[in-house]
């Protein structure tokens, strides 16, 4: 039995002649052609899956100030029509000096209507689920319903998407649907749509201008050369302006914050080239980017769009960029699956090879599904708040809305939407005595930021902090209030 339904998609039925009847017949066909049922169904299901995972993680205190708290503060600032200040990054810190993500201003009106960190999680789930539509729709056009379901499920459940949804909120959630629509349009040789979907990527993050340039290179290669060259130049210039002009002008140190550190001695080009492909975790990442597609993706030139992101990640000295953790591979997943559909659409895949790819991809998706964050949805602890979480909520409830607070990483995520919260590890260096936060709260068991251990940052193994009095201490949660603040007043 052909599990991937290799028969061509049936042609649409002819509408019966006659005015009203013809129009009634035609309307459902237009909807079905633009939004096939597999695409709509899978997009809706994955929205619920993404939202359930991220919302429950926040409810049981597995989200962090770095990064959900920071992005909550950014959305709150935009909702008040101010620059995107993020106190968790530092006093009066403008987040546009950290990364270039003006597209986040879109969150301002939404956050103003629904002021909560959950608002960001809902938006992220919706954005990522939206990216399922173009990939599944294209697969449906190419090989029909069964191939569409296989592609949509494999993409929606892919490990790169799971890591993004699991790890708080990030601006690249906007890039995932934009890139999905762009590469699918490019693969279908709809060049204008490919360009228009790619252009807003420069507003998502500074490095994505290079991805726009890669889309432009593909358009120049396979489509209208002048249009592709102009798009590539636009992307390169946008990245250069963001990294060399905009970000340094806003950053407190007057520089781009993510340049690699200076090396004590200059390395040869050969050493640098070898380091790009070492250690082996980089090869594992490459393997797992295409394995869920049954390795169909390697047969499509659309993979060229991956090169800028893989380039800066693998040439970096920061180990977190090399592997499969965090959100760094999320924008690569739509490229991989669009490339897989493109390979099939181009007729480069014979029936037997397509069947083998289907089995390999299904196995890869199943394995990574139960090793990626999605497996948390079947764990009882995800759905039941522990005693530690309940006690923490009670203690945090004693902090009034609008207060200034210094909190440990996970607690900061719980407070960002209703207080002005900063990281407890910045205390007391970043505050003048008269500007010290009214409240301080930290969790001895918070493992999310080992470089910001409370004992080290507060320079005391005891819960008492100079200038503060203990209000409550239970289950390793310590709440303190400034000693000079009148008791019982916010």
């Amino acid at each position: 039995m052909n599990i991937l339904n290799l028969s061509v998609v049936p042609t649409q039925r002819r509408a019966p002649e006659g005015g009203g009847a013809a129009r009634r017949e035609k309307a459902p066909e237009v909807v079905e052609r633009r939004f096939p049922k597999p695409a709509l169904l899978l997009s809706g299901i994955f929205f619920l899956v993404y939202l359930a995972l991220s919302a429950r993680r926040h409810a049981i205190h597995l989200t962090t100030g770095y990064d959900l708290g920071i992005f909550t503060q950014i959305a709150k600032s935009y909702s008040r029509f101010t620059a995107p200040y993020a106190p968790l990054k530092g006093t009066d810190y403008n987040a546009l000096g950290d990364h270039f993500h003006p597209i986040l201003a879109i969150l301002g009106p939404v956050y103003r209507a629904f002021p909560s960190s959950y608002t960001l999680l809902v938006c992220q789930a919706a954005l990522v689920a939206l990216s399922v539509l173009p990939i599944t729709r294209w697969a449906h056009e190419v090989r029909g319903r069964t191939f569409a379901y296989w592609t949509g499920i494999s993409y929606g459940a892919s490990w790169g998407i799971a890591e993004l949804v699991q790890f708080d909120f990030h601006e690249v959630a906007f890039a995932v649907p934009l890139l999905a629509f762009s590469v699918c349009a490019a693969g279908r040789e709809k060049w204008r749509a490919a360009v228009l979907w790619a252009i807003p990527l420069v507003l998502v993050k500074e490095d994505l201008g290079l991805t726009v340039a890669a889309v432009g290179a593909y358009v120049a290669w396979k489509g209208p050369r002048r249009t592709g060259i102009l798009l590539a130049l636009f992307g390169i210039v946008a990245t250069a302006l963001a990294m060399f002009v905009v970000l340094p002008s806003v950053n407190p140190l007057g520089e781009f914050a993510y340049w690699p550190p200076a090396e004590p001695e200059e390395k040869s080009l050969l050493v640098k080239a070898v380091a790009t492909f070492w250690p082996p975790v980089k090869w594992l990442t490459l393997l797992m980017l295409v394995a869920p597609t049954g390795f169909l993706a390697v047969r499509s030139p659309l993979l060229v769009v991956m090169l800028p992101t893989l380039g800066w990640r693998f040439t970096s000295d920061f180990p977190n960029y090399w592997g499969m953790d965090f959100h760094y591979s999320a924008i690569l997943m739509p490229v991989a699956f669009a490339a897989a559909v493109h390979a099939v659409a181009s007729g480069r895949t014979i029936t037997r090879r397509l069947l083998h790819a289907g089995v390999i991809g299904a196995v890869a998706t199943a394995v990574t599904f139960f090793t990626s964050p999605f497996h948390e949805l079947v764990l009882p602890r995800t759905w039941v708040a522990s005693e530690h979480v309940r006690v923490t909520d009670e203690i945090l409830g004693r902090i009034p809305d609008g207060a200034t607070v210094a909190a440990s990483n996970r607690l900061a995520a719980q407070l960002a939407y209703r207080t002005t919260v900063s990281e407890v590890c910045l205390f007391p260096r970043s505050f003048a005595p008269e500007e010290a936060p009214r409240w301080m709260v930290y969790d001895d068991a918070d493992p999310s930021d080992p470089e910001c251990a409370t004992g080290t940052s507060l320079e005391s193994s005891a819960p008492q902090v100079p200038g503060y009095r203990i209000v409550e201490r239970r289950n390793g949660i310590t709440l303190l209030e400034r000693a000079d603040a009148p008791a019982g007043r916010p």
Side-chain angles (χ1 to χ4, degrees):
M1 182 176 64
N2 188 344
I3 63 172
L4 293 183
N5 192 9
L6 299 180
S7 60
V8 295
V9 181
T11 57
Q12 299 290 337
R13 292 176 298 170
R14 286 186 66 183
E17 295 183 3
R23 285 192 293 270
R24 287 193 298 270
E25 181 74 17
K26 187 176 180 180
E29 291 184 0
V30 171
V31 173
E32 175 69 14
R33 188 163 56 250
R34 293 190 61 186
F35 305 102
K37 291 179 182 178
L40 292 171
L41 179 62
L42 292 179
S43 181
I45 290 174
F46 278 115
F47 168 72
L48 296 177
V49 170
Y50 301 153
L51 181 57
L53 177 61
S54 59
R56 284 308 305 169
R57 285 182 59 84
H58 186 52
I60 60 176
H61 298 185
L62 294 181
T63 52
T64 59
Y66 280 71
D67 292 296
L68 181 59
I70 290 173
F71 285 105
T72 299
Q73 291 178 332
I74 291 172
K76 184 193 298 186
S77 295
Y78 279 129
S79 73
R80 297 172 177 174
F81 305 101
T82 67
Y85 293 110
L88 281 164
K89 294 286 292 184
T91 304
D92 295 327
Y93 190 97
N94 187 332
L96 283 177
D98 184 48
H99 286 299
F100 184 69
H101 40 46
I103 200 168
L104 293 179
I106 295 174
L107 295 175
V110 184
Y111 187 90
R112 190 175 184 88
F114 305 99
S116 169
S117 294
Y118 285 104
T119 299
L120 277 68
L121 301 179
V122 172
C123 290
Q124 178 169 265
L127 287 166
V128 180
L130 181 64
S131 70
V132 175
L133 285 175
I135 293 171
T136 308
R137 177 180 62 184
W138 190 17
H140 187 271
E141 293 175 357
V142 170
R143 292 286 181 176
R145 187 180 299 270
T146 304
F147 183 60
Y149 277 119
W150 176 81
T151 304
I153 292 172
S154 299
Y155 169 72
S158 60
W159 60 268
I161 296 297
E163 290 292 336
L164 169 64
V165 173
Q166 178 257 171
F167 184 39
D168 293 7
F169 174 93
H170 289 89
E171 68 277 270
V172 296
F174 284 91
V176 173
L178 289 172
L179 198 51
F181 278 100
S182 180
V183 292
C184 285
R188 298 165 71 198
E189 298 186 358
K190 296 181 180 293
W191 306 117
R192 181 181 179 184
V195 170
L196 293 178
W197 282 111
I199 288 174
L201 287 168
V202 302
L203 303 176
V204 178
K205 200 176 178 186
E206 62 277 359
D207 66 280
L208 287 175
L210 300 180
T211 299
V212 173
V215 174
Y218 181 87
V219 173
W221 179 18
K222 298 292 185 178
R225 181 171 299 178
R226 181 180 179 183
T227 300
I229 291 174
L230 289 175
L231 181 63
L233 290 175
F234 169 77
I236 292 171
V237 170
T239 287
L241 286 175
M243 294 176 63
F244 293 101
V245 179
V246 179
L247 289 169
S249 69
V250 181
N251 186 275
L253 300 179
E255 62 184 15
F256 177 53
Y258 295 95
W259 290 125
E263 298 176 352
E265 58 183 31
E266 185 67 22
K267 295 180 181 178
S268 68
L269 291 177
L270 178 61
V271 171
K272 291 180 179 179
V274 171
T276 302
F277 302 99
W278 197 260
V281 66
K282 297 177 181 179
W283 290 99
L284 176 63
T285 300
L286 290 175
L287 175 69
M288 294 310 299
L289 282 171
V290 294
T293 72
F295 299 103
L296 290 173
V298 299
R299 305 179 65 82
S300 168
L302 274 175
L303 283 188
V304 70
V305 180
M306 284 190 179
L307 294 181
T309 298
L310 291 174
W312 71 256
R313 285 176 59 184
F314 286 0
T315 56
S316 171
D317 292 327
F318 188 45
N320 283 348
Y321 291 158
W322 305 338
M324 298 169 59
D325 295 329
F326 307 110
H327 58 288
Y328 302 115
S329 295
I331 64 168
L332 301 180
M333 303 315 296
V335 179
F337 279 90
V341 178
H342 184 240
V344 177
S346 301
R348 299 189 179 97
T349 307
I350 62 176
T351 300
R352 181 179 299 177
R353 186 172 292 152
L354 186 56
L355 291 173
H356 291 167
V359 173
I360 294 170
V363 170
T365 299
V367 170
T368 56
F369 185 88
F370 289 103
T371 58
S372 73
F374 283 134
H375 80 279
E376 294 183 20
L377 289 172
V378 299
L379 299 180
R381 68 174 176 84
T382 303
W383 302 97
V384 179
S386 66
E387 177 67 18
H388 185 79
V389 169
R390 290 192 292 270
V391 170
T392 301
D393 285 338
E394 291 176 7
I395 293 176
L396 295 181
R398 301 191 63 172
I399 301 175
D401 293 351
T404 55
V405 191
S408 54
N409 198 21
R410 286 184 174 174
L411 301 185
Q414 303 296 317
L415 293 166
Y417 78 99
R418 66 180 186 88
T419 69
T420 301
V421 63
S422 56
E423 273 279 1
V424 73
C425 63
L426 298 179
F427 180 88
R429 297 187 300 274
S430 62
F431 302 104
E434 66 277 5
E435 297 176 348
R438 167 75 181 270
W439 300 87
M440 182 180 298
V441 60
Y442 59 89
D443 184 354
D444 290 336
D446 186 351
S448 61
D449 194 352
E451 296 180 359
C452 187
T454 52
T456 301
S457 63
L458 299 179
E459 299 179 354
S460 172
S461 58
Q464 185 62 55
V465 178
Y468 283 78
R469 58 172 175 259
I470 298 176
V471 176
E472 186 171 1
R473 180 171 173 82
R474 281 191 290 158
N475 280 36
I477 308 294
T478 303
L479 176 65
L480 305 99
E481 185 180 18
R482 271 175 50 181
D484 60 352
R489 292 179 58 189

